[in-house]
Structure formats: C-alpha cells, structure tokens
Amino acid sequence: MGVVDRKELAARLQTIFDREVQAGRQPHRRALQVGIEEEMVTRILTGRIIPGRRTLNTLLDGVLISDDERTELQGIRSVIVQDIRAQRARESPRTIQHREPYVPKFGQPDPTGISSPVELQQALKAVRVWGGRPSLRLLEQRSDGVLRRSTISDMLRGESLPDYDRYLAFLRACGIDDTSLNTWVFTWRRLAAQEEPGAAGWMRGIAPV
C-alpha cells in the first residue's frame, strides 16, 4: 500500500457510519455500549485522531462490513501510523540501540517480572510516579493527541491489557527512553500472546501458557 493521507481512514469510516444510519442502524449507540465515548468516535470520524488497532476493531465490530474491507481499513491505519512515526523521527531524530541490554535507570520501574495485565497496570502507575507524577493534562499534551485524560485514567484503573499505541505514548510521555522502551514493548507482546491461543509458541522468549 502506498502513501495514504491521514484523512482517508476518517473519510472511509464516516462513509460506513453514514451507510449504517441510512439503513436504520445506530453505530454511535453501539460504540457507546462497548465503552467508546461519542466524543472519541467524532474525533476519529473527523480525522482529528487515529484510532488504536483495538479501538478500530471495536468500532468495526458494530457495523456491517466484509472481512476484506476490515483488513483494508486496518492496512490504511497501519500505513498512516507508520508515516506519522517516520515524520516524527525525521523531525526529532533519536538513536535507538535495539541490541543494548536492558539496564534500568536508578529507580526506574522494571517490567521484566510482570505476569498479568493487573501487574502491568500497577507498573504503569509506578512509571507515572517515577516520571514525576505528571498531570493527565500534561501527559495528553506530550502525546500529541494520542492520549486523552479519560483514556489515561482508564488505563491506570483497568485490569485489561491497554491499547498498544496508547501504552507506548504513555510510557514516552512519562520519560521512558527508547532503550528501556524495548523491554516494555516485549512485556506487552508477551501478555498479548498469552491471551491468544497458540500465539505464544511462535514468539521467541515467550513460554506458552
């Protein structure tokens, strides 16, 4: 898939929602029923934010679309996210040492022993404390629109695995650097793989449950 304008995903989703409304269905109400605020839906449909992978899947679960259309929309989202990350890297180049062993900074929370989403949520609270306990408003500003105060609050209170994109944005906003971030990414993937039957066996370093 080539270059994609970030408004394309919003336009495609708006078309799908309009189609649902014309058919007498209420996609906005279904979104509310699964925990997606109407304001969030509006921001997604107007292109003001790019939904996380899980959020997009949840939205699409509430409308009538084919598997091919769902796959195409997820592909458009992935291209947009990659383009945004590439642009940020060009504007603020950072050296990422992927092979450097993980060495926690003094006092920095260490995620290597986390074994459940509940423990991950507790560790994220510790990360915020380690980062100086920044306000939800400041975290929202540092995330360039990826995070909202309500979603940060939900992430720190919930007992399920957080959305991947928001998880990374939160860690970066609290000051976790790229070298340490690799271990947090691995921890999230390990927990996610353990939720998918058979997935853990295909990922190095992750023992099947």
Side-chain angles (χ1 to χ4, degrees), residues 48-69:
R48 293 167 62 190
I49 62 172
I50 305 301
R53 177 177 56 83
R54 287 192 174 189
T55 299
L56 179 56
N57 265 332
T58 301
L59 281 176
L60 298 180
D61 285 342
V63 297
L64 294 179
I65 60 170
S66 66
D67 290 341
D68 288 343
E69 191 172 6

mmCIF file of all heavy atoms in Angstrom, residues 48-69:
data_model
loop_
_atom_site.group_PDB
_atom_site.id
_atom_site.type_symbol
_atom_site.label_atom_id
_atom_site.label_comp_id
_atom_site.label_asym_id
_atom_site.label_seq_id
_atom_site.Cartn_x
_atom_site.Cartn_y
_atom_site.Cartn_z
ATOM 1 N N ARG A 48 -9.337 13.792 13.479
ATOM 2 C CA ARG A 48 -8.542 14.522 14.476
ATOM 3 C C ARG A 48 -7.599 13.590 15.232
ATOM 4 O O ARG A 48 -6.544 14.023 15.713
ATOM 5 C CB ARG A 48 -9.470 15.250 15.440
ATOM 6 C CG ARG A 48 -10.266 16.376 14.768
ATOM 7 C CD ARG A 48 -11.396 16.873 15.647
ATOM 8 N NE ARG A 48 -10.913 17.432 16.902
ATOM 9 C CZ ARG A 48 -11.717 17.752 17.921
ATOM 10 N NH1 ARG A 48 -13.023 17.540 17.817
ATOM 11 N NH2 ARG A 48 -11.219 18.269 19.017
ATOM 12 N N ILE A 49 -7.970 12.322 15.358
ATOM 13 C CA ILE A 49 -7.071 11.341 15.957
ATOM 14 C C ILE A 49 -7.121 10.057 15.125
ATOM 15 O O ILE A 49 -8.104 9.794 14.417
ATOM 16 C CB ILE A 49 -7.435 11.018 17.422
ATOM 17 C CG1 ILE A 49 -8.838 10.400 17.501
ATOM 18 C CG2 ILE A 49 -7.325 12.231 18.300
ATOM 19 C CD1 ILE A 49 -9.179 9.884 18.881
ATOM 20 N N ILE A 50 -6.058 9.282 15.209
ATOM 21 C CA ILE A 50 -6.002 7.985 14.554
ATOM 22 C C ILE A 50 -6.293 6.927 15.610
ATOM 23 O O ILE A 50 -5.601 6.872 16.638
ATOM 24 C CB ILE A 50 -4.610 7.730 13.935
ATOM 25 C CG1 ILE A 50 -4.223 8.876 12.992
ATOM 26 C CG2 ILE A 50 -4.592 6.398 13.198
ATOM 27 C CD1 ILE A 50 -5.184 9.084 11.853
ATOM 28 N N PRO A 51 -7.315 6.088 15.430
ATOM 29 C CA PRO A 51 -7.652 5.108 16.465
ATOM 30 C C PRO A 51 -6.578 4.049 16.611
ATOM 31 O O PRO A 51 -5.861 3.718 15.650
ATOM 32 C CB PRO A 51 -8.974 4.507 15.951
ATOM 33 C CG PRO A 51 -8.884 4.652 14.464
ATOM 34 C CD PRO A 51 -8.175 5.955 14.237
ATOM 35 N N GLY A 52 -6.454 3.513 17.813
ATOM 36 C CA GLY A 52 -5.579 2.374 18.022
ATOM 37 C C GLY A 52 -6.144 1.149 17.311
ATOM 38 O O GLY A 52 -7.312 1.119 16.907
ATOM 39 N N ARG A 53 -5.313 0.118 17.169
ATOM 40 C CA ARG A 53 -5.750 -1.087 16.454
ATOM 41 C C ARG A 53 -6.978 -1.706 17.107
ATOM 42 O O ARG A 53 -7.942 -2.072 16.426
ATOM 43 C CB ARG A 53 -4.596 -2.101 16.435
ATOM 44 C CG ARG A 53 -4.948 -3.443 15.782
ATOM 45 C CD ARG A 53 -3.728 -4.351 15.755
ATOM 46 N NE ARG A 53 -3.193 -4.531 17.095
ATOM 47 C CZ ARG A 53 -3.668 -5.420 17.971
ATOM 48 N NH1 ARG A 53 -4.706 -6.188 17.651
ATOM 49 N NH2 ARG A 53 -3.120 -5.546 19.167
ATOM 50 N N ARG A 54 -6.971 -1.808 18.436
ATOM 51 C CA ARG A 54 -8.110 -2.426 19.125
ATOM 52 C C ARG A 54 -9.353 -1.543 19.041
ATOM 53 O O ARG A 54 -10.462 -2.050 18.877
ATOM 54 C CB ARG A 54 -7.756 -2.688 20.590
ATOM 55 C CG ARG A 54 -6.795 -3.841 20.797
ATOM 56 C CD ARG A 54 -6.717 -4.227 22.255
ATOM 57 N NE ARG A 54 -5.902 -5.417 22.454
ATOM 58 C CZ ARG A 54 -5.802 -6.075 23.607
ATOM 59 N NH1 ARG A 54 -6.483 -5.637 24.654
ATOM 60 N NH2 ARG A 54 -5.053 -7.141 23.721
ATOM 61 N N THR A 55 -9.158 -0.236 19.155
ATOM 62 C CA THR A 55 -10.303 0.667 19.073
ATOM 63 C C THR A 55 -10.957 0.569 17.708
ATOM 64 O O THR A 55 -12.191 0.528 17.589
ATOM 65 C CB THR A 55 -9.859 2.120 19.339
ATOM 66 O OG1 THR A 55 -9.303 2.201 20.652
ATOM 67 C CG2 THR A 55 -11.037 3.076 19.237
ATOM 68 N N LEU A 56 -10.136 0.543 16.647
ATOM 69 C CA LEU A 56 -10.693 0.430 15.302
ATOM 70 C C LEU A 56 -11.443 -0.883 15.142
ATOM 71 O O LEU A 56 -12.551 -0.913 14.581
ATOM 72 C CB LEU A 56 -9.572 0.533 14.261
ATOM 73 C CG LEU A 56 -10.006 0.409 12.795
ATOM 74 C CD1 LEU A 56 -11.074 1.442 12.447
ATOM 75 C CD2 LEU A 56 -8.802 0.542 11.871
ATOM 76 N N ASN A 57 -10.883 -1.969 15.631
ATOM 77 C CA ASN A 57 -11.574 -3.257 15.537
ATOM 78 C C ASN A 57 -12.897 -3.228 16.280
ATOM 79 O O ASN A 57 -13.901 -3.772 15.820
ATOM 80 C CB ASN A 57 -10.687 -4.372 16.103
ATOM 81 C CG ASN A 57 -9.889 -5.084 15.026
ATOM 82 O OD1 ASN A 57 -10.314 -5.156 13.872
ATOM 83 N ND2 ASN A 57 -8.736 -5.584 15.389
ATOM 84 N N THR A 58 -12.913 -2.584 17.439
ATOM 85 C CA THR A 58 -14.149 -2.495 18.221
ATOM 86 C C THR A 58 -15.209 -1.704 17.459
ATOM 87 O O THR A 58 -16.386 -2.082 17.438
ATOM 88 C CB THR A 58 -13.876 -1.827 19.577
ATOM 89 O OG1 THR A 58 -12.906 -2.595 20.291
ATOM 90 C CG2 THR A 58 -15.147 -1.750 20.409
ATOM 91 N N LEU A 59 -14.797 -0.597 16.836
ATOM 92 C CA LEU A 59 -15.734 0.180 16.025
ATOM 93 C C LEU A 59 -16.286 -0.656 14.879
ATOM 94 O O LEU A 59 -17.485 -0.641 14.593
ATOM 95 C CB LEU A 59 -15.043 1.421 15.463
ATOM 96 C CG LEU A 59 -14.859 2.624 16.391
ATOM 97 C CD1 LEU A 59 -14.078 3.713 15.670
ATOM 98 C CD2 LEU A 59 -16.202 3.166 16.854
ATOM 99 N N LEU A 60 -15.418 -1.392 14.221
ATOM 100 C CA LEU A 60 -15.839 -2.175 13.056
ATOM 101 C C LEU A 60 -16.694 -3.376 13.443
ATOM 102 O O LEU A 60 -17.470 -3.874 12.623
ATOM 103 C CB LEU A 60 -14.602 -2.631 12.271
ATOM 104 C CG LEU A 60 -13.736 -1.500 11.687
ATOM 105 C CD1 LEU A 60 -12.539 -2.078 10.943
ATOM 106 C CD2 LEU A 60 -14.559 -0.608 10.761
ATOM 107 N N ASP A 61 -16.549 -3.836 14.691
ATOM 108 C CA ASP A 61 -17.391 -4.948 15.150
ATOM 109 C C ASP A 61 -18.867 -4.541 15.203
ATOM 110 O O ASP A 61 -19.749 -5.402 15.177
ATOM 111 C CB ASP A 61 -16.949 -5.409 16.548
ATOM 112 C CG ASP A 61 -15.653 -6.210 16.504
ATOM 113 O OD1 ASP A 61 -15.297 -6.683 15.408
ATOM 114 O OD2 ASP A 61 -15.004 -6.340 17.561
ATOM 115 N N GLY A 62 -19.129 -3.227 15.291
ATOM 116 C CA GLY A 62 -20.500 -2.750 15.430
ATOM 117 C C GLY A 62 -21.164 -2.340 14.133
ATOM 118 O O GLY A 62 -22.270 -1.797 14.156
ATOM 119 N N VAL A 63 -20.497 -2.583 12.984
ATOM 120 C CA VAL A 63 -21.075 -2.214 11.690
ATOM 121 C C VAL A 63 -20.994 -3.404 10.740
ATOM 122 O O VAL A 63 -20.237 -4.347 10.971
ATOM 123 C CB VAL A 63 -20.344 -0.997 11.071
ATOM 124 C CG1 VAL A 63 -20.512 0.222 11.956
ATOM 125 C CG2 VAL A 63 -18.877 -1.295 10.853
ATOM 126 N N LEU A 64 -21.771 -3.331 9.675
ATOM 127 C CA LEU A 64 -21.786 -4.420 8.694
ATOM 128 C C LEU A 64 -20.756 -4.144 7.612
ATOM 129 O O LEU A 64 -20.949 -3.279 6.755
ATOM 130 C CB LEU A 64 -23.180 -4.555 8.080
ATOM 131 C CG LEU A 64 -24.293 -4.993 9.032
ATOM 132 C CD1 LEU A 64 -25.625 -5.056 8.302
ATOM 133 C CD2 LEU A 64 -23.962 -6.344 9.654
ATOM 134 N N ILE A 65 -19.638 -4.862 7.659
ATOM 135 C CA ILE A 65 -18.611 -4.750 6.623
ATOM 136 C C ILE A 65 -18.059 -6.145 6.347
ATOM 137 O O ILE A 65 -18.179 -7.052 7.181
ATOM 138 C CB ILE A 65 -17.451 -3.810 7.025
ATOM 139 C CG1 ILE A 65 -16.760 -4.336 8.285
ATOM 140 C CG2 ILE A 65 -17.933 -2.390 7.229
ATOM 141 C CD1 ILE A 65 -15.474 -3.603 8.598
ATOM 142 N N SER A 66 -17.427 -6.311 5.215
ATOM 143 C CA SER A 66 -16.826 -7.590 4.861
ATOM 144 C C SER A 66 -15.457 -7.719 5.522
ATOM 145 O O SER A 66 -14.864 -6.728 5.963
ATOM 146 C CB SER A 66 -16.666 -7.701 3.343
ATOM 147 O OG SER A 66 -15.716 -6.745 2.876
ATOM 148 N N ASP A 67 -14.956 -8.955 5.572
ATOM 149 C CA ASP A 67 -13.620 -9.176 6.126
ATOM 150 C C ASP A 67 -12.567 -8.448 5.303
ATOM 151 O O ASP A 67 -11.590 -7.925 5.848
ATOM 152 C CB ASP A 67 -13.309 -10.674 6.164
ATOM 153 C CG ASP A 67 -14.145 -11.416 7.203
ATOM 154 O OD1 ASP A 67 -14.682 -10.753 8.115
ATOM 155 O OD2 ASP A 67 -14.267 -12.649 7.086
ATOM 156 N N ASP A 68 -12.753 -8.425 3.984
ATOM 157 C CA ASP A 68 -11.787 -7.742 3.114
ATOM 158 C C ASP A 68 -11.752 -6.249 3.411
ATOM 159 O O ASP A 68 -10.681 -5.626 3.435
ATOM 160 C CB ASP A 68 -12.136 -7.970 1.641
ATOM 161 C CG ASP A 68 -11.855 -9.396 1.199
ATOM 162 O OD1 ASP A 68 -11.110 -10.102 1.909
ATOM 163 O OD2 ASP A 68 -12.391 -9.813 0.152
ATOM 164 N N GLU A 69 -12.935 -5.654 3.639
ATOM 165 C CA GLU A 69 -12.986 -4.226 3.925
ATOM 166 C C GLU A 69 -12.349 -3.933 5.282
ATOM 167 O O GLU A 69 -11.632 -2.938 5.441
ATOM 168 C CB GLU A 69 -14.435 -3.738 3.918
ATOM 169 C CG GLU A 69 -14.565 -2.210 3.953
ATOM 170 C CD GLU A 69 -15.993 -1.742 3.755
ATOM 171 O OE1 GLU A 69 -16.915 -2.605 3.703
ATOM 172 O OE2 GLU A 69 -16.190 -0.530 3.641
#
